[in-house]
Amino acid sequence: VQSAGEPPIKFDPIVVTSRLRWMGDQCNMDFERVSSEALAAVLKGKMEKFGAAVGSLSRSWSDQNPELVYERAFLCVSVKLLMHVAKKVPAMVHPNELIEVINGNSQVRNYIEACGG
């Protein structure tokens, strides 16, 4: 919480990147063993299905782990999947993929804002 007289807190992309990478490391999914049409398309380089794959995988993982809220699962899965695809099909991955998927999900965006950023 910031008081009125304090200078604005600066956005530090290194901190954000580090935190997202840590969250991605929390995801223990083996994408090669998960059955999903959207995921299969993403693993073949069809990044237009990235959001659908992340949404589906996040719901499934969150349902299997009741202590894990959907929004957190979404962030973990999106980072882990993007890193996985970047290793498999690096030419198909653009940094904006993650930003678009997160910003495109109002539930996740609101969760991030409620957590302070």
Side-chain angles (χ1 to χ4, degrees):
V1 177
Q2 187 175 349
S3 60
E6 293 181 34
I9 298 172
K10 294 185 179 183
F11 172 79
D12 188 345
I14 294 171
V15 171
V16 172
T17 302
S18 173
R19 181 70 174 166
L20 285 172
R21 180 163 287 173
W22 176 84
M23 291 180 82
D25 290 343
Q26 305 307 302
C27 180
N28 58 2
M29 277 188 194
D30 181 354
F31 298 117
E32 300 297 331
R33 295 182 188 257
V34 176
S35 177
S36 157
E37 278 186 45
L39 176 60
V42 169
L43 294 178
K44 291 177 183 168
K46 296 181 179 166
M47 295 304 288
E48 63 273 9
K49 298 286 186 178
F50 185 76
V54 169
S56 171
L57 293 169
S58 301
R59 290 249 180 251
S60 174
W61 193 34
S62 179
D63 290 347
Q64 293 171 8
N65 300 283
E67 74 282 357
L68 182 64
V69 297
Y70 165 74
E71 297 86 355
R72 187 169 178 82
F74 186 95
L75 291 168
C76 293
V77 169
S78 62
V79 171
K80 182 75 167 206
L81 182 56
L82 190 69
M83 289 170 45
H84 181 79
V85 173
K87 288 178 185 173
K88 272 189 88 143
V89 195
M92 295 303 295
V93 175
H94 302 284
N96 289 348
E97 301 287 349
L98 186 61
I99 295 166
E100 290 172 12
V101 163
I102 292 170
N103 286 337
N105 186 319
S106 60
Q107 186 176 346
V108 173
R109 195 175 60 246
N110 291 340
Y111 171 79
I112 291 169
E113 290 170 359
C115 290

